[in-house]
Each structure stands twice: as C-alpha cells, then as structure tokens.
Amino acid sequence: MKTGVRLPVVMRGYHRQQVDDVLKRISQALDGGPPMPADEVRQTRFTIVMRGYDRRAVDELLRECIRELQVVAPIGERPGRPRAQPAWLMNWIQNARFSGAGTRSGYDVRDVDAFLDRVIAGLRGAAPPVTARDVRESAFRVVRFGPGYDEQEVDRFLLQLAGALER
C-alpha cells in the first residue's frame, strides 16, 4: 500500500478516524504484522459525517488494498484456491527454498531447517503440533558469516505458514 496517501476531505464523507484506523491495520498486515483478511476489508463500513474523506477516493484505495492483501494472503486464502490439506502443506514446507543471505546477515540455516522439520513432524502426528502462534513467535539465530537464509524470504514464508495452520 502506498504510504502517505492523502485522501481528499469533502463536505459529507467517510469518518476520517475510522478510515485511518483501517488503513493503519492494512499497512501493518502488508508489513508482516497481524494478518487482515481481504474479506474483512470488503465488509468494513464507515459512518458518513461532515468533513469526512471523499467516499469514492476511499473506496478506490480500499480496492487496491484488497488486491495487495490477496497477494500476501496465505496460499489457501487466495481467490480460486482450495484450502490447504496437511499432506499438501507438508509437501509445500518440504519444497520451500530460500535464497542465501550472501554478505548480509541472515537466519541460521540449521535453526530454520530444524524448525520446519518440527512443523512437519507435528503435521504427521510424530510430535506435538506446532500452532500458528508458535510459527509467528519463532526466532532464529542471526549469522553474519556462515550459511544463512534471507530473513525477509523466511519471514514471508512463515507468515503464510501461520495463516495455513490457523485453518
């Protein structure tokens, strides 16, 4: 979502604080914060007040935000996709590949791989199940010189994984 978007204020429009609150939640979701389903944005209604945001401009911006939220949504929530099944989910996790961090710092390869192995073991029933909360709260050692995965790629993958595990 474009940051710093200035919406026009009109005589009668959407309640500015309500719109700002929703846009803030969307921005956080797109930046890796708590997820916000696109359907929730679609169902949002604003109070019409004097000196509010232009309704047409807000509606247009929200349509764009919905498209962006669908792109970052867990795979099972994307339009036209079936819900993830455990066998499919295990296969998806096992086939995940992350770029190396190169000269930048990155997540320790062994830590990330061990955590994903633990998730798969939980899905198979060979270990306690890993919850979406466990995935969101996972932390890995950061390595500077050594085998490390690109942190942003791993974080994006883990957000999708947490969303899939919530279902």
Side-chain angles (χ1 to χ4, degrees):
M1 185 176 93
K2 299 173 199 144
T3 55
V5 173
R6 293 187 54 111
L7 294 165
V9 176
V10 295
M11 183 65 77
R12 289 184 48 80
Y14 289 145
H15 191 282
R16 290 188 286 183
Q17 188 60 51
Q18 291 173 352
V19 172
D20 290 342
D21 290 346
V22 169
L23 292 175
K24 181 179 178 185
R25 286 193 52 220
I26 292 170
S27 180
Q28 289 171 341
L30 292 172
D31 288 336
M36 182 172 194
D39 285 340
E40 186 177 334
V41 178
R42 279 189 202 93
Q43 295 167 1
T44 301
R45 300 293 176 255
F46 303 108
T47 307
I48 305 293
V49 297
M50 298 298 287
R51 306 267 317 129
Y53 287 137
D54 179 68
R55 291 181 270 184
R56 188 174 300 166
V58 171
D59 292 344
E60 209 171 286
L61 178 60
L62 290 179
R63 277 192 292 277
E64 183 180 323
C65 291
I66 288 168
R67 283 190 295 273
E68 290 183 43
L69 286 169
Q70 287 174 331
V71 168
V72 299
I75 288 174
E77 290 179 12
R78 293 182 189 170
R81 301 251 186 172
R83 288 183 54 159
Q85 299 298 317
W88 181 91
L89 192 55
M90 286 187 283
N91 189 39
W92 178 61
I93 295 167
Q94 289 171 328
N95 290 316
R97 299 290 176 260
F98 307 108
S99 302
T103 57
R104 299 181 320 267
S105 60
Y107 291 140
D108 186 293
V109 168
R110 293 167 299 204
D111 287 356
V112 175
D113 290 346
F115 179 75
L116 293 178
D117 288 343
R118 198 174 122 222
V119 173
I120 291 171
L123 289 169
R124 284 193 176 122
V130 175
T131 66
R133 183 178 182 179
D134 295 331
V135 173
R136 285 193 185 92
E137 294 176 354
S138 62
F140 308 107
R141 288 179 291 185
V142 176
V143 294
R144 178 93 177 143
F145 301 105
Y149 289 136
D150 181 275
E151 293 177 29
Q152 290 181 338
E153 282 184 35
V154 173
D155 289 342
R156 274 193 300 271
F157 178 81
L158 292 176
L159 272 174
Q160 291 181 340
L161 177 59
L165 289 173
E166 283 178 331
R167 295 184 303 281

